[in-house]
Amino acid sequence: MDALIRDYCGSRYDEDAPGIRAVLCAEVIRWLAVQPGVVRERTGDLEVEFGSAAAAQQLSPAAKSGLRRYRPAMRSLSLVREGRAALR
């Protein structure tokens, strides 16, 4: 989970920030509540049906929204050619 957050926020963020800890805990709880690959469950006579593939593990939209302030700002880079002498 920490790798997904690091990938989304970039490598430079404070792991102990309350917002990041809250998102991390909420995502772990969400993932523990999901049974990957289970399509159908039945309580009477205990029937469980598995699908062919589990859902991809990724951050939820709510987690991405909570982590947005920890992402680096988008920047642009201007490329200017200074005449032919600079190319040699």
Side-chain angles (χ1 to χ4, degrees):
M1 177 61 61
D2 186 51
L4 289 174
I5 293 175
R6 182 173 284 118
D7 184 51
Y8 188 76
C9 293
S11 60
R12 295 181 183 174
Y13 70 94
D14 183 14
E15 293 177 352
D16 295 326
I20 289 180
R21 285 287 170 202
V23 168
L24 177 66
C25 291
E27 285 297 287
V28 167
I29 291 169
R30 182 180 71 86
W31 280 16
L32 290 174
V34 172
Q35 296 181 8
V38 174
V39 175
R40 183 175 67 164
E41 282 187 79
R42 184 177 184 179
T43 305
D45 293 328
L46 191 65
E47 178 182 329
V48 177
E49 183 180 334
F50 292 96
S52 60
Q57 293 182 340
Q58 61 184 4
L59 293 173
S60 68
K64 289 180 181 179
S65 175
L67 293 171
R68 191 169 294 134
R69 67 179 137 173
Y70 299 102
R71 292 189 80 181
M74 297 296 290
R75 292 183 166 70
S76 63
L77 176 65
S78 299
L79 302 176
V80 179
R81 184 182 297 186
E82 302 222 5
R84 299 184 135 220
L87 295 176
R88 294 182 188 167

